[in-house]
Amino acid sequence: MPRGYSRERTSVHNLHYHFVWCPKYRKPVLTDEVADRLEHLIEEKADELGLTILRLAIQPDHVHLFITGNPTLSPNKIIQQVKGYTSRNLRDEFDFGLPSLWTRSYFVSSAGEVSSQTIEEYIEAQTGQ
C-alpha cells in the first residue's frame, strides 16, 4: 500500500480536508482559555469520528482545521459534528453574548494527490497479481 493511504475492509483511501469557519459576526472570542478548550474539544470529536488532525490553527476570529477523513463521512457531516459539539460545550462553559457561537457557513477544500502509478498499483492489486 502506498504511504499515506488507509485500507479499510472495502476501500483504500487518502482523503484530506481543510476546513475554515468563523464565530457569529466574526467576533474575536477564540482567545486564551476559550482557544485552549476549543482545541481540546476538536481533538475529542476527531477521535470519536476516527479522524486524524494534521494541523489546527485557532485565530481569535476563525479556525483552520486540516484533517484526514474516511469515505464513510462526508465533509458536511464532519463539520456539522465538530461545530455542533464545540458550540454546545463552549456555550455551556463561556458567555459569548452571541445568539449562536458559529456562523452557519464554512469553507472546505479537499487536498490530495493520486499518481497514475498509484492507480495502476491499486488495479493490479485487485486482479490478484
Side-chain angles (χ1 to χ4, degrees):
M1 184 60 34
R3 198 168 89 209
Y5 285 79
S6 298
R7 178 183 287 279
E8 306 292 329
R9 194 171 144 254
T10 59
S11 68
V12 176
H13 54 88
N14 183 15
L15 299 172
H16 295 80
Y17 300 115
H18 177 201
F19 291 100
V20 181
W21 70 96
C22 305
K24 195 82 165 173
Y25 310 122
R26 194 112 189 227
K27 294 275 188 174
V29 296
L30 307 176
T31 60
D32 305 323
E33 65 272 2
V34 174
D36 293 339
R37 183 66 176 132
L38 175 58
E39 181 176 354
H40 180 75
L41 291 170
I42 291 171
E43 289 169 353
E44 280 180 2
K45 185 48 83 170
D47 285 345
E48 180 184 315
L49 295 173
L51 306 170
T52 301
I53 298 174
L54 301 174
R55 292 273 190 267
L56 175 61
I58 299 171
Q59 302 299 316
D61 64 348
H62 67 281
V63 179
H64 287 269
L65 175 62
F66 188 47
I67 59 167
T68 60
N70 68 57
T72 61
L73 290 173
S74 68
N76 183 58
K77 188 65 160 180
I78 293 169
I79 197 66
Q80 178 185 41
Q81 291 285 315
V82 170
K83 285 172 66 176
Y85 181 71
T86 57
S87 176
R88 200 168 26 261
N89 284 281
L90 289 174
R91 288 172 54 84
D92 285 346
E93 298 172 29
F94 301 96
D95 179 23
F96 297 107
L98 296 171
S100 61
L101 179 57
W102 306 120
T103 63
R104 293 180 60 201
S105 62
Y106 62 92
F107 166 86
V108 63
S109 175
S110 60
E113 179 180 318
V114 177
S115 68
S116 58
Q117 179 183 356
T118 300
I119 295 169
E120 290 170 12
E121 289 173 3
Y122 173 78
I123 292 169
E124 285 178 24
Q126 298 308 302
T127 59
Q129 295 180 9

